[in-house]
Amino acid sequence: MITYLLCFILFLVGLYGVLTRKNLIKIIIGLSVMEYSLYLFLALIGYIDGGAAPIIDPSKPAGLVVDPLPQAFVLTAIVIGLATTALLLAIAIRLYKKYNTFDIDKINTLKG
Amino acid sequence: METTLIVILILMIAGALHALHARDLLSAIVSYAVVGYSLVVGFLVLKAPDLAIVQIVVETIALIIMVSVLIISTREDLAKRDTIIIKGQSYINVRNLAYIFFAVVAGFFLVYFFNMVSSGLEPLGVHETRMATEYIKNGVEGTGSVNLVTGVLLDYRGFDTLGEATILFTAVMGILAILRLKTHKI
Amino acid sequence: MKGMTIIVKNVTALLSGLIFLYGCYIVLHGHLTPGGGFAGGIIIAGSFILLVIANGIQYFRLNKEKEESSLFEGAGIFCFLLLATGGLFLAVPVFFKNLLPGGTPGELLSAGIIPVYNIFIGIEVAAALLSIFLAFVIFKTED
Amino acid sequence: MRAINVLIYFLICFATWLLLTHNLGWQNLVAGSVISLLTTLVFSRYFNFDVTKMINPVRWFWMIIYIIYFIWQCVKANFDVAYRVLHPAMPIKPGIVRVNLTLQGSLARTILANSITMTPGTIAVDIIDDILYVHWIYVRYLDHDRYAYRISGKFERILKKIFE
């Protein structure tokens, strides 16, 4: 149970970063940390004690195997996470070219 | 087993906290890499080699992209903010009190929801889901794929993969639109 | 980006092809060993990214290459959809029908249509990541 | 020369595929040849080293000697660096030295630079026009001939026998 709690704390760390940091790069890092905590949480849910990796040798009878369904979900989520991170970085670098800063407060005051 | 995971998670939390507080953005990105690569070790401990392979290459590519962004821009975090202290005015005003109130309420709700969710979970290592036994028993005959993750991903749940490919395509189109080159002069 | 020293260039010239080969191995054996279209596609993109980083962008005519990788991406996702609806041609009204014969599990040619899906996903992911990277690099050298 | 290069690259790719898969079934062989052909089509244009000389078996003999000599040097340098690190006074005198290369051929130079880098205590920084820049943990001599012999003399002599 303590691993679930630590995953939740990692999620909170990411949320804290998104809410309090002023730098766009650090906000993106916070979002990624939240994503990572969710991946680990899903993988934890699928884990079975004493289970093998979900690759079955067809010549032998199947033993105890880790649940493959959460792993399939996480697999798609990781690639999507990379794409969204890259999209956010593209937005950040566009804003930097325009306002010459990563500070969201300064971008707010400079707008117009 | 569980202690290994706890150590990895504590390392991840420490890396994330340092990444959020580092003054130099390059060191922030290196600390962020600590989080990602610890996640790879966590996946290996949890018997998920597919996830470990994907995560290790994704983390590497993400680092390359992040560093290429930093090289164009600045490495410094924000300039040091001078806190203005006006004499006679205390820190306890309505605005700060409202912030603290909202933070406490939001934290309470988050912990409440986590408690609600985790009361329905089995402890780590015990797992009784109907779909898992079904997939494990019939997966190889049903899909013909020895690797069950690929079988689930591309046969039982092909729609998800199609949606993922669509999102990837859309994201790339968005990036190309945002970072659009100058119009060609012909 | 100027490109690195001649040492790095030579080592990259020796190794990038083998990295590409390894990515293809991961894609093709996705239904037998850990890996699959996603991981293999990213490794294939990595081999090209290595070449671009080592040799500098003047070495390649990059604008053209970016168009090509976008084209590959579109072709990959289109073929994926075509295969998904392919059951219609055989009068099976199921989306994502596994319509090829199964074969014995454990061989390279088995699992019906899953390896073909894997190949197209690999093409799509590789092209997507390569065009993301090239967009950042070209944006950096623009002004 | 061009055609032989392409052929050799194809063979390297095919051997790598066989090492990766450990399987001699016909499906695997067909897939391996197709993938190797694809790799050769895309990447063989970067493989422009002069490899025709390597058919001579004498050169392979010298290569084995080079590997043994390199491992011996590596072990010696490891102990040297460990001594410098563990010594309380830390007797280091770092600096970057220039070594004039007599070796021709880019592949030989790359192998030389990588050997120097893999030996602890020295790091090859760059090669610019026949001059190799090396970062050295303890600059023992200031005379060019002596430190050049010390850093790369034997390596270069054996590599010349292999590649020229």
Side-chain angles (χ1 to χ4, degrees):
Chain A
M1 193 54 70
I2 193 165
T3 44
Y4 295 140
L5 188 68
L6 281 170
C7 266
F8 178 63
I9 291 174
L10 188 63
F11 184 86
L12 287 187
V13 168
L15 188 65
Y16 156 78
V18 171
L19 288 179
T20 61
R21 296 295 104 186
K22 298 276 190 258
N23 194 309
L24 275 173
I25 300 282
K26 287 190 174 172
I27 290 175
I28 294 168
I29 287 177
L31 272 173
S32 289
V33 168
M34 285 161 78
E35 277 172 12
Y36 285 171
S37 77
L38 283 181
Y39 303 158
L40 198 54
F41 186 70
L42 280 174
L44 281 173
I45 285 179
Y47 182 70
I48 300 175
D49 245 351
I55 294 161
I56 291 175
D57 194 347
S59 58
K60 289 176 195 158
L64 197 58
V65 170
V66 171
D67 190 357
L69 186 61
Q71 296 194 8
F73 285 155
V74 175
L75 196 62
T76 55
I78 288 174
V79 181
I80 293 173
L82 176 62
T84 48
T85 307
L87 185 63
L88 289 172
L89 282 170
I91 294 171
I93 198 65
R94 256 298 171 205
L95 282 174
Y96 184 85
K97 272 278 148 77
K98 184 154 178 159
Y99 295 112
N100 222 11
T101 176
F102 275 136
D103 191 342
I104 50 171
D105 280 354
K106 279 185 194 157
I107 290 172
N108 255 339
T109 54
L110 282 173
K111 78 181 174 205
Chain B
M1 173 62 218
E2 197 164 4
T3 38
T4 322
L5 276 174
I6 288 170
V7 170
I8 290 168
L9 269 162
I10 289 174
L11 186 63
M12 285 171 76
I13 291 172
L17 278 175
H18 186 262
L20 294 175
H21 285 277
R23 292 211 62 79
D24 189 293
L25 283 181
L26 201 58
S27 68
I29 287 179
V30 172
S31 315
Y32 163 73
V34 169
V35 184
Y37 289 124
S38 313
L39 187 61
V40 176
V41 183
F43 283 151
L44 282 179
V45 171
L46 287 171
K47 301 282 168 57
D50 300 81
L51 298 183
I53 290 179
V54 174
Q55 174 63 29
I56 199 166
V57 280
V58 159
E59 185 65 29
T60 311
I61 301 285
L63 280 186
I64 290 175
I65 292 175
M66 278 194 165
V67 171
S68 82
V69 165
L70 271 201
I71 285 175
I72 320 176
S73 58
T74 169
R75 256 181 70 181
E76 292 292 311
D77 196 358
L78 325 168
K80 238 180 212 153
R81 223 172 271 266
D82 298 322
T83 45
I84 306 163
I85 301 171
I86 305 168
K87 274 188 183 165
Q89 189 183 1
S90 83
Y91 280 108
I92 304 170
N93 49 19
V94 178
R95 200 186 164 109
N96 282 357
L97 280 180
Y99 284 162
I100 291 168
F101 175 72
F102 281 126
V104 168
V105 168
F108 173 75
F109 270 107
L110 280 170
V111 172
Y112 174 70
F113 286 138
F114 173 73
N115 198 20
M116 217 164 75
V117 167
S118 62
S119 64
L121 287 173
E122 284 99 1
L124 179 67
V126 183
H127 183 77
E128 288 157 359
T129 318
R130 196 167 50 83
M131 297 310 281
T133 50
E134 185 69 20
Y135 283 157
I136 291 164
K137 209 194 293 169
N138 299 331
V140 174
E141 290 91 46
T143 65
S145 165
V146 178
N147 187 350
L148 282 181
V149 176
T150 309
V152 170
L153 199 68
L154 293 174
D155 196 309
Y156 290 122
R157 298 226 153 240
F159 270 124
D160 290 356
T161 312
L162 181 64
E164 183 274 340
T166 317
I167 290 177
L168 194 58
F169 187 74
T170 320
V172 172
M173 286 304 124
I175 289 171
L176 292 186
I178 289 169
L179 300 180
R180 198 180 52 217
L181 310 175
K182 287 171 195 160
T183 49
H184 295 289
K185 292 168 204 155
I186 302 169
Chain C
M1 220 189 293
K2 277 282 184 53
M4 296 190 176
T5 75
I6 188 144
I7 306 168
V8 182
K9 279 179 190 166
N10 278 333
V11 173
T12 313
L14 281 174
L15 283 186
S16 58
L18 299 184
I19 295 172
F20 180 83
L21 189 87
Y22 182 63
C24 291
Y25 160 73
I26 294 265
V27 170
L28 281 185
H29 285 238
H31 54 296
L32 302 178
T33 51
F38 297 108
I42 301 170
I43 292 174
I44 289 173
S47 71
F48 287 103
I49 287 175
L50 191 63
L51 271 181
V52 175
I53 289 178
N55 285 314
I57 66 166
Q58 312 304 335
Y59 195 71
F60 308 95
R61 283 161 292 147
L62 271 188
N63 282 318
K64 188 164 157 285
E65 198 149 319
K66 198 176 81 171
E67 278 160 21
E68 274 174 9
S69 73
S70 285
L71 200 72
F72 269 116
E73 195 188 356
I77 201 169
F78 178 68
C79 290
F80 190 76
L81 260 179
L82 210 64
L83 278 178
T85 50
L88 287 179
F89 302 121
L90 300 180
V92 188
V94 181
F95 202 42
F96 282 107
K97 172 76 181 155
N98 198 340
L99 47 89
L100 289 181
T104 49
E107 298 271 312
L108 187 58
L109 274 181
S110 67
I113 211 164
I114 287 180
V116 191
Y117 280 150
N118 255 335
I119 290 171
F120 285 118
I121 286 182
I123 292 172
E124 202 257 340
V125 171
L129 287 179
L130 191 60
S131 43
I132 289 174
F133 176 75
L134 291 182
F136 275 102
V137 168
I138 294 174
F139 177 76
K140 187 176 135 191
T141 52
E142 267 288 298
D143 39 23
Chain D
M1 151 142 181
R2 180 90 190 115
I4 286 178
N5 257 0
V6 170
L7 185 67
I8 284 176
Y9 197 73
F10 177 79
L11 288 180
I12 289 174
C13 289
F14 198 65
T16 315
W17 175 268
L18 289 183
L19 284 177
L20 278 173
T21 51
H22 268 288
N23 184 353
L24 282 176
W26 65 271
Q27 300 167 347
N28 192 39
L29 290 182
V30 170
S33 44
V34 170
I35 293 296
S36 304
L37 204 62
L38 190 66
T39 314
T40 313
L41 277 181
V42 181
F43 286 94
S44 71
R45 72 186 79 156
Y46 307 115
F47 186 77
N48 39 19
F49 303 109
D50 188 12
V51 286
T52 45
K53 286 176 187 164
M54 296 308 294
I55 301 167
N56 193 345
V58 179
R59 298 179 192 274
W60 288 95
F61 169 71
W62 279 107
M63 188 171 274
I64 292 168
I65 286 185
Y66 180 75
I67 291 170
I68 293 170
Y69 179 71
F70 170 68
I71 291 172
W72 166 239
Q73 285 291 324
C74 224
V75 171
K76 264 201 326 190
N78 261 311
F79 279 110
D80 184 59
V81 172
Y83 161 74
R84 287 184 200 289
V85 171
L86 294 176
H87 197 278
M90 263 255 237
I92 59 171
K93 197 165 97 181
I96 291 183
V97 294
R98 299 202 288 185
V99 181
N100 287 331
L101 287 175
T102 52
L103 207 58
Q104 300 298 322
S106 63
L107 185 60
R109 284 182 176 183
T110 307
I111 290 179
L112 175 67
N114 280 340
S115 306
I116 288 174
T117 304
M118 278 170 74
T119 316
T122 48
I123 291 175
V125 181
D126 203 349
I127 296 179
I128 301 172
D129 302 338
D130 291 353
I131 295 176
L132 175 67
Y133 293 83
V134 178
H135 179 271
W136 200 2
I137 195 171
Y138 190 86
V139 181
R140 201 162 300 176
Y141 319 109
L142 292 176
D143 180 23
H144 171 267
D145 290 337
R146 292 178 71 187
Y147 69 67
Y149 181 75
R150 176 94 190 178
I151 290 176
S152 67
K154 274 271 181 59
F155 282 155
E156 240 177 317
R157 218 189 292 161
I158 303 177
L159 278 175
K160 235 178 221 172
K161 287 206 174 85
I162 296 175
F163 286 102
E164 280 167 21

